[in-house]
Amino acid sequence: MVATREYKVVGTRPIRPDGADKVTGRAEYGVDTRLPGMLYGRVKRSPHAHAMIKKIDASRALALPGVKAVITAADFPEPQVVDGPVGEGPAPNPMHYQLAAIMANKKALYVGHPIAAVCATDPHIAEDALDLIEIDYEVLPFVQDVREAMAKGAPILLDDLRTRAPEPLKQSLNLTDGPTNIASVTRFERGDIAAGFKEADVVIEREFETSMFHQGYIEPHAGTAFWNKDGKLTVWSSSQGHFMVRASCSALLHIPVSQINAVPMEIGGGFGGKTIVYLEPLAALLSKKTGKPVKLTMTRAEVLEATGPTSGTYMRVKIGAKKDGTITAAQVHLAFEAGAFPGSPVGAGGLCALGPYSLTNSQVDCFDVVLNKPKVAAYRAPGAPASEFGVETVINEIAKQLDIDPIELRLKNAAREGMPGPFGAPHGPVGAIEVLEQMRNHPHYRSELQGENQGRGIAMGFWFNGGGPRSVSATLNPDGSVGLVSGNVDVGGLRSSMAIMLAETLGIAHDDIHPHIVPTDDIGDTGMSGGSSSAYSSGWAVFEVGQELKRKLTERAARIWEVDADTVEYGKDGVLRCVDGRSMTFKELCGRLNSTGGSISAANTTVRQGNAPAYAGHIVDVEVDKETGKVEILRYTAFQDAGTAIHPSYVEGQVQGGAVQGIGMALTEEYVWGKNGQMLNASLLDYRMPTALDLPMIETVLVEVPNPNHPYGVRGVGEVSIVPPMPAIQAAIAEAAGVHLYRAPMSSKVVLEALLDQQG
């Protein structure tokens, strides 16, 4: 389905405004920050997965020539209580946990946990100083399996942690009131699952596991801070939201936000992994101690070992259906690793698990569990790839057992307008059915496989999308160009998307809009670029700014023509027309502004929620080498409802990128742990992300079911494409090799072991 409204600029493919700087190396990222007298920092990290910190002695490090300061958790003020989540995390995140995450206090809770930080005049001196910081540990038992962490008698990570859940639910699950590793339990339920399963002609129940997966952004974390003598703190870093950086530094360092200016640098990838701070508060404290700017940069090993991957999981999925394919009941159990501190995306995973469908009877239990691994962070549709891996795999098996085409079975149960969504409220216009129909009619689905040991799989994906505060301002220039200022970090072509929407609103060319991302001091509060919310929410702010500019231009034209403003109309073509026949183009009027009352500008801060849900469906063909277990992707087609594709090339890139990351989860990427709790593959050589050599061209099909809650029909597009790959590839492997795999990644080793087991 294609959007029916006709646009002049929306839907075109202009060159991105920041393209030249990025391809020529002029764009500045966090690591590029250079300041006079700058010092270089490094972080001392725990070699143990779980240990009491008995003593820290930094005297030898401080005696090393060139070393200027060392900090530990003792240098931070007592943590404040902050209501609500910090960053993109889905659960309340007390600041004492966030403080302990960036700098361990009494305990080290995973290998790589920061214990101290040092700064020196040279990065090599700072590195040498790490070995001179002496730490006395008492090594403790550790736990790295989510089910073992939930069991009675497991090593307890956080003595003050108690399960957060309604009391009746805690009692029904026999959960303790004492110290625990189960941070929270949430249940989403509808109808009567017992009655639903009684109606079913077929019931399938399976268990699933997924590894931790890292976002794999190219740019490692870097943060620079200068705490000036006037008390003003300036922070330079690459993040998905510099207002988040400001808020976190304010809470952790007890400094008013008015005293912090967070400067956004270009970002070399994030995918949710740069929605929390790691280095910025450390750099700030080191700067306060030394009176100099301080920069800290992570190595790739530190990124993998000590920044948030997504959760490893254990899941159980039970689904019942009638012979005609009607799903009568679904029961899902999700246990997600939070890492060393509470706050996994299990709640989002629970809401998305059954998101592609409208079911009468369902129950989803969500367990947030701490264990001795790095604290997880958001990763593209946080929680949904794992939970929907389980559900979609069982849906495929039900279709097979009932001998129903898997697309037809999904169409019978698909989410549709007017039916209850995951939050209980009825869906508005959604594109699940349109996506499935496009898949069913596509040449890929209708084609025949060409060889032995080949298989085809399909799967759906759902993500609810988000909203949030956005601030935008615009100023008209005498030459007819427009300066567009935003506080939204550009992680996927947002500058161009905002320029397109403002150009469409004003009826002018995209190239006449000049967008800029500015520091926190220069714009109103703006949410992070995450949750597939940026183009949606910023698009609203841009639209409102455009409407205000049009109103002011209409008034100015009326003043020039000496007529009432209601006799002047601003046309979609950017031409102002008076009822007496006179007209003036946008550029002509801009050229007369300074001489007729001065320049015109407008600003808007908006908070928009209720971003429309997004659906994706993928078709994949694979070939399995039964001698080695290697899985080769032969053909891949990704379908997605984009609402309206503001810049189709960017949307296609988002869809392709998400699909590739999902393929990595399905086949090659995983955290491998040693016997002492350390990560054994902490490099991009050993943490095996797919490359262009591993993949065919990802074909994209954009389905456009406009979102009625947006002036240009926008839905978020950045996340849902990562959801379908795991179950789609699982189904394709099952058809190609006759083995059903329930753990991701389904690596060559896993496939080969299953084939050997099958042979007996």
Side-chain angles (χ1 to χ4, degrees):
M1 181 178 177
V2 178
T4 55
R5 292 178 64 183
E6 293 184 1
Y7 298 113
K8 177 183 176 182
V9 189
V10 167
T12 62
R13 303 173 186 252
I15 295 173
R16 60 189 299 160
D18 53 328
D21 282 349
K22 286 183 174 174
V23 299
T24 58
R26 290 174 57 87
E28 293 189 346
Y29 296 81
V31 75
D32 295 320
T33 306
R34 298 283 188 276
L35 299 170
M38 188 171 72
L39 303 174
Y40 299 86
R42 295 286 290 123
V43 177
K44 177 80 170 181
R45 300 181 182 275
S46 170
H48 305 294
H50 197 190
M52 296 297 297
I53 302 170
K54 308 294 285 185
K55 182 181 178 182
I56 301 174
D57 185 352
S59 57
R60 292 178 61 212
L62 289 167
L64 183 68
V67 171
K68 299 301 180 181
V70 174
I71 60 169
T72 67
D75 292 287
F76 282 86
E78 283 295 314
Q80 297 174 324
V81 176
V82 175
D83 293 331
V86 175
E88 203 178 343
N93 187 0
M95 291 309 298
H96 72 279
Y97 285 156
Q98 190 179 14
L99 176 56
I102 66 168
M103 187 67 79
N105 188 357
K106 299 176 182 178
K107 265 188 178 185
L109 295 173
Y110 59 92
V111 174
H113 198 166
I115 308 297
V118 59
C119 66
T121 54
D122 180 273
H124 301 292
I125 295 173
E127 182 73 29
D128 291 342
L130 295 182
D131 292 334
L132 301 178
I133 300 174
E134 299 175 356
I135 303 173
D136 182 14
Y137 294 102
E138 178 188 335
V139 179
L140 302 172
F142 64 91
V143 60
Q144 291 190 307
D145 179 271
V146 69
R147 282 169 288 180
E148 293 176 5
M150 296 170 70
K152 291 182 180 179
I156 297 296
L157 274 71
L158 305 167
D159 294 335
D160 63 342
L161 185 64
R162 303 294 184 270
T163 302
R164 192 177 71 254
E167 196 58 37
L169 181 58
K170 289 175 67 174
Q171 291 177 4
S172 69
L173 296 170
N174 296 317
L175 297 176
T176 179
D177 288 326
T180 180
N181 293 324
I182 302 174
S184 68
V185 184
T186 306
R187 173 171 288 176
F188 305 112
E189 57 186 337
R190 178 182 296 142
D192 185 337
I193 60 168
F197 282 121
K198 283 184 180 179
E199 295 178 31
D201 295 308
V202 57
V203 176
I204 293 178
E205 183 172 10
R206 298 286 183 260
E207 294 182 271
F208 299 87
E209 295 178 60
T210 63
S211 169
M212 278 187 157
F213 303 115
H214 201 276
Q215 299 86 350
Y217 32 79
I218 296 174
E219 175 203 25
H221 291 265
T224 303
F226 179 45
W227 200 316
N228 204 353
K229 294 185 185 300
D230 62 2
K232 182 80 172 183
L233 172 63
T234 305
V235 181
W236 297 260
S237 64
S238 298
S239 77
Q240 289 176 240
H242 45 303
F243 284 88
M244 172 277 300
V245 172
R246 183 180 73 171
S248 294
C249 288
S250 172
L252 289 166
L253 301 171
H254 294 200
I255 176 174
V257 293
S258 60
Q259 291 294 97
I260 305 173
N261 188 27
V263 181
M265 310 299 288
E266 296 291 349
I267 182 171
F271 313 110
K274 291 180 180 173
T275 58
I276 52 179
V277 295
Y278 294 102
L279 301 177
E280 295 90 338
L282 308 184
L285 268 189
L286 287 167
S287 177
K288 186 177 185 181
K289 273 200 167 188
T290 61
K292 301 283 188 180
V294 177
K295 178 166 71 175
L296 287 92
T297 306
M298 287 191 185
T299 65
R300 181 63 61 183
E302 287 176 312
V303 170
L304 287 166
E305 290 176 341
T307 69
T310 193
S311 299
T313 70
Y314 166 74
M315 301 171 291
R316 294 194 304 270
V317 177
K318 179 181 179 182
I319 297 177
K322 294 180 179 179
K323 290 179 181 178
D324 67 356
T326 302
I327 297 174
T328 60
Q331 186 175 19
V332 181
H333 168 99
L334 305 175
F336 277 33
E337 299 172 358
F341 301 95
S344 76
V346 68
L351 287 168
C352 291
L354 302 167
Y357 310 104
S358 291
L359 306 182
T360 303
N361 306 301
S362 62
Q363 177 182 299
V364 183
D365 286 341
C366 308
F367 294 79
D368 182 39
V369 184
V370 299
L371 72 181
N372 296 110
K373 292 182 179 179
K375 171 71 178 72
V376 303
Y379 182 8
R380 214 167 189 164
S387 65
E388 295 185 61
F389 169 47
V391 169
E392 289 295 290
T393 296
V394 173
I395 294 281
N396 280 329
E397 292 192 20
I398 286 175
K400 189 78 171 177
Q401 188 160 330
L402 294 174
D403 195 25
I404 298 175
D405 179 273
I407 290 181
E408 296 300 331
L409 184 140
R410 287 172 167 85
L411 278 167
K412 190 174 187 66
N413 298 282
R416 62 195 70 213
E417 186 174 359
M419 297 296 289
F423 296 106
H427 278 302
V430 293
I433 290 174
E434 287 82 355
V435 167
L436 285 162
E437 288 174 341
Q438 289 275 358
M439 294 170 67
R440 179 179 59 186
N441 298 325
H442 194 271
H444 184 172
Y445 197 63
R446 294 176 173 271
S447 67
E448 297 290 334
L449 294 168
Q450 300 299 312
E452 295 183 4
N453 304 328
Q454 293 184 2
R456 175 170 297 156
I458 70 122
M460 284 290 287
F462 168 84
W463 180 250
F464 40 75
N465 290 330
R470 296 294 185 271
S471 295
V472 169
S473 65
T475 301
L476 306 185
N477 298 315
D479 63 354
S481 64
V482 182
L484 175 60
V485 173
S486 170
N488 228 153
V489 172
D490 187 348
V491 299
L494 184 63
R495 288 180 178 92
S496 192
S497 296
M498 289 192 299
I500 286 172
M501 287 185 277
L502 184 56
E504 186 71 50
T505 305
L506 295 175
I508 63 177
H510 166 273
D511 291 347
D512 288 333
I513 311 292
H514 302 291
H516 303 278
I517 314 300
V518 297
T520 55
D521 274 0
D522 301 334
I523 194 74
D525 205 348
T526 299
M528 286 188 295
S529 294
S532 290
S533 63
S534 298
Y536 169 81
S537 297
S538 290
W540 261 113
V542 162
F543 177 76
E544 296 292 352
V545 161
Q547 296 302 314
E548 180 68 8
L549 290 173
K550 288 163 63 175
R551 184 186 66 79
K552 291 182 176 180
L553 285 166
T554 300
E555 292 175 349
R556 185 64 61 87
R559 183 193 305 175
I560 292 172
W561 289 329
E562 298 181 336
V563 298
D564 291 336
D566 58 8
T567 66
V568 179
E569 182 183 48
Y570 191 109
K572 291 183 179 180
D573 56 358
V575 177
L576 294 99
R577 296 177 176 87
C578 185
V579 293
D580 63 11
R582 285 179 289 179
S583 65
M584 196 180 331
T585 67
F586 176 86
K587 284 195 174 184
E588 288 171 342
L589 182 51
C590 285
R592 299 183 63 180
L593 292 179
N594 287 340
S595 61
T596 59
S599 181
I600 286 176
S601 62
N604 181 267
T605 296
T606 185
V607 180
R608 295 282 175 170
Q609 302 296 346
N611 190 354
Y615 292 88
H618 292 188
I619 306 171
V620 59
D621 296 348
V622 307
E623 183 171 83
V624 178
D625 185 334
K626 292 190 174 181
E627 297 296 321
T628 65
K630 177 177 170 56
V631 178
E632 181 181 359
I633 306 286
L634 302 175
R635 185 175 182 182
Y636 205 104
T637 308
F639 304 75
Q640 185 165 320
D641 174 18
T644 300
I646 299 298
H647 191 304
S649 294
Y650 292 170
V651 176
E652 290 162 359
Q654 290 278 13
V655 172
Q656 291 166 331
V660 170
Q661 289 179 313
I663 291 169
M665 292 176 173
L667 295 178
T668 59
E669 298 182 39
E670 65 180 319
Y671 270 50
V672 180
W673 301 99
K675 63 180 181 179
N676 294 321
Q678 75 276 31
M679 185 181 180
L680 298 180
N681 59 330
S683 75
L684 292 187
L685 178 64
D686 299 314
Y687 181 84
R688 183 72 171 82
M689 295 191 297
T691 71
L693 298 176
D694 302 306
L695 302 163
M697 181 65 182
I698 308 293
E699 183 180 353
T700 60
V701 177
L702 301 185
V703 182
E704 295 187 280
V705 180
N707 174 12
N709 297 315
H710 191 276
Y712 295 116
V714 169
R715 298 179 193 269
V717 300
E719 299 185 79
V720 70
S721 58
I722 201 174
V723 178
M726 282 196 286
I729 290 170
Q730 192 273 356
I733 292 172
E735 182 176 315
V739 294
H740 291 270
L741 306 173
Y742 303 109
R743 185 190 183 281
M746 296 165 279
S747 62
S748 298
K749 177 178 180 289
V750 171
V751 174
L752 184 59
E753 287 174 348
L755 289 168
L756 293 174
D757 288 344
Q758 183 186 63
Q759 296 168 10

